[in-house]
Amino acid sequence: MFTSPHGKGGKQDKMKLLTHNMLTSNIIKTVTNGYPLKIVPTQVEVKTVDFNPEFISRMLPKIDWPALCQAAQSVGHGEGLPEALTEKYEEDEMLLKKVHHVLMQVEVLEGNLVCPETGRQFPISSGIPNMLLNEDEV
Amino acid sequence: MAASMIDGQNMTKLSKSERKLRKKQTKSQHTLLKHDGIKASDIPTKILCINNAGLDSCVSRDEVHELFTIYGSVEDVIMMPQKPYAFVCYRHEDEAEVAYGNLNGQTLPENDNRKWPVTIYISYVSQVPPSLSPSKDLPPGLILIRDFITEDFARRLLESIKWDEDTSQGLQKELKHRQVKHYGYEFKYGINDVDVDDPLPQGVPDICQELLGRALKTGHVKYLPDQVTVNKYQPGQGIPPHVDTPAAFEDGIMSLSLGSQVLMDFRHPDGKHLSVLLPPGSLLIMTGESRYLWSHGITPRKSDILPTPDGRLTIAHRGTRTSYTFRKVIPPNDRINRHIPFTTENRQPNPTKLPQSEADAASLEQIHVHQVYEEIADHFSGTRHSPWPRIADFIRSQPTGSILADIGCGNGKYLGINKDIFEVGSDRSLNLVKICESRDFPVFVGDVMSIPIRSGVCDVCLCIAVLHHLSTEERRLHGLSELLRILRPGGKALIYVWAMEQELHKVKSKYLKEIKVTDYIDRSTNDTDTEVKQVKVNDTPRDSSEKDVATQLNGLSLSKGEPDEEKTISVNMGHSENDRVDGQEVILTPLSCDRLATSDSTETCELCVNASGQAQGHSCECSDRAQNSRKMLEVHKNRTSFKQQDMFVPWQLKKKGMEEEGASVKDKADPVFHRYYHVFRQGELEALCGRLDNCRVQDGYYDQGNWAVILQKL
């Protein structure tokens, strides 16, 4: 796995950790605990996205925080994230910037999302996670 | 005197009811024979067909089993999806005879499964439906070689599989219906393909080399396989119908059966169904039509019914069956511009029935929705540019920091409209999603039937032109419930579906009104004398700017010489007075009758004959009446009113670089793809939403030939 500071893929969106925060493998019929998906990256990029503090503070309550911390760690950007959110996070600009970075700027280009319960892998190729199920899993 | 009168009455009554029973029975046997290839026998057989005791009659397998066990040892009770009958297999004929004598005509009381009693009618059978028993014929291109390996070798082969060792490496997986192990390359079920750059450490096992050598010598297989999938099926397990990815593997796919016999179902897209018995030790080779066009699968069941040499039927229990599937992977470079035989392009979808089972529905959508979008993605995307105003307004009105999921985002034309919210798109088509990705939107590949998003996380959902591609009401309802699941309480979904009514309050939709000049010039073969004055080329919604097929303009009445204020070509609307005499309807009716006559439904055919006899220009009313049973799907004529709710809509593919070469295009036959649609009648979408109690329809409206609702999750 490697991280390229300015992705050569240009400004195109790859899998952001915000997208990852929404994804689950609970859709597999037998799976009840498919969240959060483990990220096994082989290529990660960081791109520059304009910082919008209002956007981030409104996004935060919708985020599953432990899942984000785990995801950030698995792509090598977990440093500096607190274990839990404080109450007045909207006033903590440092935190908002850090969250902005991991939610919006860190992107996974290649790798796998792995179901925590079954180990089923969902490939991420060119930044696109493929979450289609085999007919047997529906 | 009085007493004897009563006796006499009783006698008459009894024989009357007996007569009634016999009549009903004859009728029911006749129906079974006609519809499903079941033959009743005059002499007792150990296999009984119990009409009105099937799943479609709301009778459960347990209920049948319990009832018939009283009269002898029941080997198996076979229920078939969506059938009104069940098969009971006794060990001995005399047991079947006793059961027949005691239970024929018996009424089963109402219970938890059903609110009404059912009366069962029993027949001895000498022939069961093709899905339960081997067919006489094989699909074209299918080769079955019995005793291809010896029992001793089969044993060694089975012993050579180390099922339990490799779990950590992901080479072996427990799928819902079976155990699977791969060699050479892992077959990845999510993409239905292998990753050529990621070969497995273990290639094709050495033990297989000798048999593969012999297989090649048969001449039916041209390439030495480099990918092996081993499946282990326990009795009662199966595999859903599928076609091995045409682009991924060479022709000549082999399947070696070990351990137990099984009945494999082969289905042609036109509905033809053949069952092939695979004995242990046999090698099955799928080539040509049987490899590319017919799907194959195994119905999960514990036994099959086989004919005995003396012409009777006997039950064969399935044991544990292990199969080796041998395939040759096509390297990615060789896949480019490769012609795949029997692909969906130009494949006539007729006659296809409206799906009756979940498997049928999924298979129809796979072939006539998913595969088609995959193949037309580039061209399709090129015809979808500007967002629709009301949809764009809805997106713009969402507050900063909202999370919006566009389920079925296509080429992503609604992504990126509001920069203050987070918009993520998903589509079933990888190729369409790739187009989004190249345009800078966060996307993933996913299915509306199982949206891989955790519950309650979205503030807003878009689902534009998606639900009309689901082929049963239950599936449409399920799609809707998935959208609601991912919404938070109070969150909203905007849903658009294509409308049956392409003309509302005497205003025709853009879809009907407008036609592109190239469509007209290139494809008009009959109306050569019609002039094209001017044509508006509008960017209409996702499903309303279809290119039109060669046949589209045949027989259509173009408004030649009429005032043409709109400067658009007006096309046959199906409701005008003229089109009753322009021949179009007259052509359609006999066609649909032909198709129906070849199907096994007499009712539908009669209805159709009646309809054509009345000849009021509505050829397909009959299909509507038979909606839930055997409705045939017709191919819609683009730019005309819809004649039925379920149909195929043609898409004529323009290959890249051909758009500008007007004249030359005419000579080349562009491939035509058929997409399945269920268009919604007025109020239908709201009614569907009404079936879910966790939502409220906030707004409903008609927008250029589409029905739309804004739903709020409660």
Side-chain angles (χ1 to χ4, degrees), chain A residues 11 13-14 18-19 21-24 27 35 55 58-59 62 64 126 129-132 134-136, chain B residues 176-178 189 191 240 400-401 403 420 422 428 433 437 440-445 451-454 459:
Chain A
K11 62 177 194 122
D13 269 9
K14 313 302 177 188
L18 178 49
T19 307
N21 206 268
M22 299 166 68
L23 295 177
T24 172
I27 48 172
Y35 188 85
F55 176 91
R58 292 213 190 172
M59 201 55 77
K62 301 170 192 181
D64 185 300
S126 307
N130 187 334
M131 302 300 295
L132 290 182
N134 168 41
E135 66 252 331
D136 283 359
Chain B
K176 186 178 152 207
H177 300 294
R178 57 193 200 273
Y189 292 94
I191 51 172
T400 299
I403 295 180
D420 295 328
F422 181 67
R428 185 71 181 62
V433 167
E437 193 269 345
D440 187 21
F441 306 119
V443 281
F444 58 87
V445 184
I451 306 176
I453 295 182
R454 65 183 159 99
D459 300 294

Side-chain angles (χ1 to χ4, degrees), chain B residues 483-530:
Chain B
L483 294 172
L484 286 163
R485 181 184 61 76
I486 64 169
L487 281 178
R488 64 165 166 84
K492 287 176 191 172
L494 175 62
I495 300 166
Y496 267 64
V497 293
W498 212 4
M500 176 82 178
E501 299 83 1
Q502 286 299 309
E503 188 178 338
L504 200 71
H505 309 307
K506 300 196 173 164
V507 177
K508 285 158 188 165
S509 71
K510 285 180 182 171
Y511 173 72
L512 286 187
K513 276 198 305 201
E514 281 155 20
I515 178 169
K516 293 183 182 179
V517 67
T518 50
D519 292 327
Y520 173 68
I521 292 171
D522 290 345
R523 303 191 179 95
S524 166
T525 49
N526 287 0
D527 302 271
T528 45
D529 59 340
T530 315

Side-chain angles (χ1 to χ4, degrees), chain B residues 363-634:
Chain B
S363 154
L364 175 73
E365 290 162 25
Q366 176 65 29
I367 295 170
H368 286 294
V369 180
H370 308 154
Q371 283 184 20
V372 174
Y373 278 111
E374 231 31 288
E375 303 201 44
I376 70 174
D378 264 352
H379 179 216
F380 177 83
S381 176
T383 64
R384 301 293 183 276
H385 312 287
S386 21
W388 277 32
R390 291 189 77 162
I391 301 175
D393 287 348
F394 175 80
I395 299 170
R396 282 192 204 99
S397 71
Q398 303 307 321
T400 299
S402 298
I403 295 180
L404 180 149
D406 184 354
I407 306 300
C409 64
N411 64 357
K413 76 173 177 182
Y414 292 109
L415 298 173
I417 284 184
N418 183 341
K419 296 288 180 196
D420 295 328
I421 66 174
F422 181 67
E423 291 181 77
V424 61
S426 100
D427 203 280
R428 185 71 181 62
S429 162
L430 177 64
N431 288 342
L432 278 171
V433 167
K434 277 183 183 160
I435 292 168
C436 298
E437 193 269 345
S438 66
R439 292 166 53 171
D440 187 21
F441 306 119
V443 281
F444 58 87
V445 184
D447 193 321
V448 67
M449 297 299 281
S450 334
I451 306 176
I453 295 182
R454 65 183 159 99
S455 306
V457 77
C458 296
D459 300 294
V460 196
C461 253
L462 289 186
C463 186
I464 310 297
V466 172
L467 295 182
H468 56 213
H469 283 313
L470 299 174
S471 58
T472 66
E473 183 171 331
E474 286 315 304
R475 289 172 70 82
R476 294 187 283 273
L477 187 69
H478 180 79
L480 198 61
S481 70
E482 273 292 277
L483 294 172
L484 286 163
R485 181 184 61 76
I486 64 169
L487 281 178
R488 64 165 166 84
K492 287 176 191 172
L494 175 62
I495 300 166
Y496 267 64
V497 293
W498 212 4
M500 176 82 178
E501 299 83 1
Q502 286 299 309
E503 188 178 338
L504 200 71
H505 309 307
K506 300 196 173 164
V507 177
K508 285 158 188 165
S509 71
K510 285 180 182 171
Y511 173 72
L512 286 187
K513 276 198 305 201
E514 281 155 20
I515 178 169
K516 293 183 182 179
V517 67
T518 50
D519 292 327
Y520 173 68
I521 292 171
D522 290 345
R523 303 191 179 95
S524 166
T525 49
N526 287 0
D527 302 271
T528 45
D529 59 340
T530 315
E531 282 175 36
V532 181
K533 290 178 181 170
Q534 185 190 338
V535 172
K536 269 193 212 164
V537 179
N538 267 33
D539 179 62
T540 41
R542 176 164 174 172
D543 289 298
S544 309
S545 70
E546 324 298 35
K547 298 264 178 166
D548 305 79
V549 293
T551 54
Q552 178 206 316
L553 286 168
N554 294 355
L556 294 192
S557 54
L558 295 171
S559 59
K560 184 199 170 197
E562 286 173 13
D564 197 3
E565 292 169 4
E566 294 281 322
K567 303 285 185 195
T568 56
I569 299 173
S570 88
V571 187
N572 179 345
M573 298 307 150
H575 287 149
S576 71
E577 287 303 309
N578 293 341
D579 60 27
R580 300 236 171 108
V581 293
D582 71 6
Q584 192 189 192
E585 301 288 350
V586 186
I587 293 164
L588 243 181
T589 309
L591 248 183
S592 44
C593 275
D594 276 355
R595 286 190 212 121
L596 289 161
T598 59
S599 83
D600 45 4
S601 164
T602 43
E603 292 104 303
T604 328
C605 194
E606 279 159 20
L607 281 169
C608 193
V609 169
N610 288 341
S612 64
Q614 286 155 15
Q616 291 306 308
H618 294 285
S619 61
C620 300
E621 297 294 303
C622 51
S623 313
D624 285 344
R625 285 178 59 187
Q627 198 164 18
N628 292 323
S629 53
R630 287 161 189 283
K631 183 168 165 180
M632 306 301 291
L633 295 172
E634 306 267 350

